[in-house]
Amino acid sequence: MTTVLSDRDRRKRDDRPDGTFYDEPRFVTHADDAFLERLTALYASVTDPGDRVLDAMSSWVSHLPAVEYDRVVGHGLNEAELAANDRLDEFVVSDLNADQSLPFADDAFDVVCCALSVQYLQYPGPTFAEFARVLAPGGTVVVSFSNRVFPTKAVRAWRAASMPERADLVERYLDAGGFAVSERIAERPGEDPFYAVVGSLPRRAGAGP
């Protein structure tokens, strides 16, 4: 397994377990409306009706388009937020910094979304490898972020980086997980910068198009 962050890089100013910080629900959005509209448009462009979607590190809203998916599963740290998310068919509560495993079968999803949360991952290599495991061959991962952050909980490597360097960091995370980067976006649709990196899994030999 590729080690993406050193022990120094993964440090947080607040080193308490993340569950402590996220114990109380926060029913707020973490980017402006223009960012969220752009994110929904991106999701619409990379998903299809009938897809199985994992919204990783989710909260009370998933920003998915009005598309009929086969299954939408949420993952996050606050049960009240996830329970309030009306796009989720089901959800699980777990801390990827404590345990990078997910309680899903291999090939269980077609798309993994990770919005406005990647900056908090301390073990991105194993985490993105787990995203790859639960994705079907040819599956897609969408990682989006802006310049807003809880500074006490973001890893040092993220805090020290410029926005383009953060996108570079996400590309390294994807590479460590076995993804190929298929798209990198840097825009400013409103006040908040919109960054996203899209990755894809290779299809198995002999698989269809």
Side-chain angles (χ1 to χ4, degrees), residues 2-208:
T2 302
T3 300
V4 183
L5 299 181
S6 67
D7 288 342
R8 182 169 180 262
D9 286 338
R10 74 177 95 254
R11 286 181 188 163
K12 299 186 176 189
R13 292 173 180 167
D14 178 357
D15 60 2
R16 294 175 299 164
D18 287 344
T20 303
F21 182 79
Y22 295 102
D23 189 51
E24 293 295 324
R26 294 176 173 85
F27 293 107
V28 297
T29 53
H30 300 284
D32 64 17
D33 289 345
F35 179 106
L36 301 178
E37 289 170 7
R38 180 65 180 89
L39 179 59
T40 298
L42 175 59
Y43 287 160
S45 74
V46 300
T47 63
D48 293 307
D51 277 350
R52 302 159 299 164
V53 179
L54 172 62
D55 188 11
M57 304 177 76
S58 184
S59 64
W60 66 287
V61 60
S62 291
H63 313 297
L64 292 167
V67 171
E68 194 69 32
Y69 298 114
D70 179 64
R71 179 187 184 208
V72 180
V73 179
H75 158 275
L77 277 169
N78 187 275
E79 184 173 1
E81 290 183 19
L82 295 170
N85 188 330
D86 61 8
R87 285 308 303 270
L88 304 180
D89 298 306
E90 58 188 279
F91 63 82
V92 296
V93 177
S94 73
D95 179 359
L96 286 171
N97 286 332
D99 181 359
Q100 289 79 59
S101 63
L102 292 167
F104 308 115
D106 295 357
D107 304 352
F109 299 98
D110 303 295
V111 181
V112 172
C113 303
C114 183
L116 299 161
S117 299
V118 69
Q119 59 266 31
Y120 307 116
L121 285 175
Q122 291 179 288
Y123 302 95
T127 297
F128 276 79
E130 187 70 351
F131 290 165
R133 181 189 69 78
V134 303
L135 273 172
T140 300
V141 61
V142 183
V143 183
S144 59
F145 56 94
S146 190
N147 57 356
R148 299 197 200 185
V149 64
F150 294 127
T152 60
K153 298 305 290 185
V155 297
R156 183 186 182 280
W158 193 271
R159 298 195 312 270
S162 66
M163 293 299 292
E165 288 169 343
R166 289 170 176 176
D168 292 341
L169 200 58
V170 172
E171 289 196 8
R172 289 170 54 200
Y173 294 176
L174 289 168
D175 181 67
F179 293 92
V181 173
S182 56
E183 188 173 8
R184 174 167 164 163
I185 302 166
E187 300 173 359
R188 201 171 196 115
E191 290 298 316
D192 294 340
F194 179 87
Y195 276 73
V197 183
V198 181
S200 59
L201 275 183
R203 295 183 182 274
R204 294 193 182 105

